[in-house]
Amino acid sequence: MEHAERLLSAASELFYRRGVRAVGMDDVRAASGVSLKRLYQCFPSKEALVVAYLERRDERWMSSLTGYVAEHGGSVEAVFAWLERWFAEDDFRGCGFVNAYGELGATSEPVREVVRRHKQRLRDHLRTLAAGADDPDLLAEQLLALVDGATVTAMVAPERATAAARAAGAAARALVTAACRG
Amino acid sequence: MEHAERLLSAASELFYRRGVRAVGMDDVRAASGVSLKRLYQCFPSKEALVVAYLERRDERWMSSLTGYVAEHGGSVEAVFAWLERWFAEDDFRGCGFVNAYGELGATSEPVREVVRRHKQRLRDHLRTLAAGADDPDLLAEQLLALVDGATVTAMVAPERATAAARAAGAAARALVTAACRG
């Protein structure tokens, strides 16, 4: 594996698990086995490393979700079925973007931007699933709230994660039915 | 003002605005004008100070919400009208509990517990508003997701905060109507 990939892979796991402020460049060096000099050649600052982590996470998270939804007939229900699986993963610790924003949103414009872009990509995807509604933008905003809200519950109360995904999925179904009635 | 109150007040503002890891005991000392010795007498560790901040925030946040809802006829809509006002406050920076959990949830059991208690109190309140539904627990879980999800959008995309509160409110109304049909 290339140095940059080894570093990013180690950083991603640490940042997601422990939070971005809790992890120093030296932790990334130790976990990756790549020298600190090489680390700074690849990522000149910790902020650059955090942004790279979030960009890669966006890419993988969105492609996992959209791939699953496409395989399951492009339905809104599939989004919540995918969430239920994600919540059950061993290393699930909530939305990496919301967590990073909560930590660095007050100080880092590049972090803010990558988080905003991710949520906009998610909203756009939900908008395509909501295309048949009378007001697809409104329905997409509501579905996004259900996704983010269920994710908060799954993080804070892991024992309720499955119930939260299913409750949000049932709400989404009811909203889709009501919105496509017109 | 008493020392403990001055310390807690300064710490609360700093923790909510900048995040809990970004603020050191010395920042709290400087902002409060209380000596470090007295600070450690009142709050023997930073964790104790973070827990006190969250407990006070829970008290004030819940009583503002439930007071507003009671004044507005105890309707579910009032929850989202209150959210819209909260999102518009100058110092709004998302849910202080979710942000603290994202930062310290991996390491601090006391922080985890106070965040879980807060979300449970919010769920219980929504459950009382959902009492007329066929399945009040399910409706309360769905309303909680809408509240937390709209709060995430309002944090990450402040220019969409009002729209997010209204979209979530409209979703809540539709879910209440559907759930009380039986």
Side-chain angles (χ1 to χ4, degrees):
Chain A
M1 212 176 354
E2 273 185 41
H3 284 164
E5 175 53 30
R6 250 160 72 193
L7 288 163
L8 199 47
S9 178
S12 297
E13 201 263 330
L14 291 170
F15 284 151
Y16 181 66
R17 177 155 53 87
R18 289 165 45 192
V20 287
R21 270 191 195 275
V23 175
M25 293 297 253
D26 203 58
D27 297 314
V28 176
R29 177 203 59 73
S32 64
V34 175
S35 75
L36 210 52
K37 185 179 166 198
R38 191 79 187 95
L39 167 48
Y40 278 103
Q41 279 169 351
C42 295
F43 303 99
S45 67
K46 183 168 162 192
E47 186 178 63
L49 186 57
V50 173
V51 167
Y53 147 63
L54 292 172
E55 281 173 346
R56 193 169 86 146
R57 189 171 176 88
D58 172 47
E59 206 48 49
R60 295 186 173 185
W61 195 95
M62 284 300 304
S63 96
S64 173
L65 171 64
T66 57
Y68 184 90
V69 170
E71 275 166 30
H72 292 79
S75 73
V76 165
E77 275 97 333
V79 171
F80 295 87
W82 182 87
L83 278 187
E84 188 177 330
R85 292 160 56 118
W86 177 41
F87 295 169
E89 288 176 10
D90 275 347
D91 68 348
F92 174 79
R93 250 196 94 244
C95 174
F97 302 91
V98 170
N99 292 351
Y101 196 102
E103 289 199 73
L104 295 183
T107 49
S108 169
E109 179 61 27
V111 167
R112 264 208 299 276
E113 270 316 300
V114 67
V115 174
R116 290 165 60 88
R117 262 202 314 277
H118 167 72
K119 291 296 178 196
Q120 187 57 48
R121 281 189 73 193
L122 176 53
R123 182 185 284 109
D124 290 345
H125 176 62
L126 297 170
R127 173 71 173 67
T128 65
L129 304 182
D134 294 338
D135 186 341
D137 290 322
L138 176 67
L139 183 55
E141 197 70 46
Q142 294 170 332
L143 296 174
L144 179 62
L146 289 168
V147 168
D148 280 330
T151 305
V152 165
T153 293
M155 171 172 75
V156 169
E159 77 285 3
R160 306 183 75 103
T162 300
R166 290 183 188 173
R173 206 159 39 240
L175 292 173
V176 168
T177 304
C180 298
R181 198 170 278 158
Chain B
M1 208 174 2
E2 273 186 39
H3 284 165
E5 175 53 30
R6 252 162 69 191
L7 287 163
L8 199 46
S9 180
S12 296
E13 200 263 332
L14 290 171
F15 284 152
Y16 181 65
R17 179 155 53 85
R18 288 164 47 191
V20 287
R21 269 190 195 275
V23 175
M25 293 300 252
D26 202 59
D27 297 312
V28 176
R29 177 203 58 72
S32 65
V34 175
S35 75
L36 210 53
K37 184 180 168 196
R38 191 80 188 92
L39 167 49
Y40 277 103
Q41 279 168 353
C42 295
F43 303 98
S45 66
K46 183 167 161 194
E47 185 177 63
L49 186 57
V50 173
V51 167
Y53 146 64
L54 292 172
E55 282 174 345
R56 192 169 86 147
R57 187 170 178 88
D58 172 47
E59 207 48 50
R60 294 186 173 186
W61 194 95
M62 283 302 301
S63 97
S64 173
L65 171 65
T66 57
Y68 183 90
V69 170
E71 277 166 30
H72 291 78
S75 73
V76 166
E77 274 97 334
V79 172
F80 294 87
W82 182 88
L83 277 188
E84 189 178 332
R85 292 159 57 118
W86 177 41
F87 295 167
E89 288 175 10
D90 275 347
D91 67 350
F92 174 78
R93 249 196 97 245
C95 175
F97 301 91
V98 171
N99 292 350
Y101 196 102
E103 289 200 73
L104 296 184
T107 49
S108 170
E109 179 62 28
V111 167
R112 264 207 299 276
E113 270 318 299
V114 66
V115 174
R116 289 165 61 87
R117 264 203 312 278
H118 168 73
K119 291 297 177 194
Q120 187 57 47
R121 281 188 73 193
L122 176 54
R123 182 185 285 109
D124 290 344
H125 176 63
L126 296 170
R127 173 72 171 67
T128 64
L129 304 182
D134 295 336
D135 186 341
D137 290 322
L138 176 66
L139 183 55
E141 197 69 47
Q142 293 170 332
L143 295 174
L144 179 61
L146 288 169
V147 169
D148 280 330
T151 305
V152 165
T153 292
M155 171 171 76
V156 169
E159 77 284 3
R160 307 183 76 104
T162 301
R166 291 183 187 173
R173 203 156 47 238
L175 292 173
V176 168
T177 305
C180 299
R181 198 170 277 159

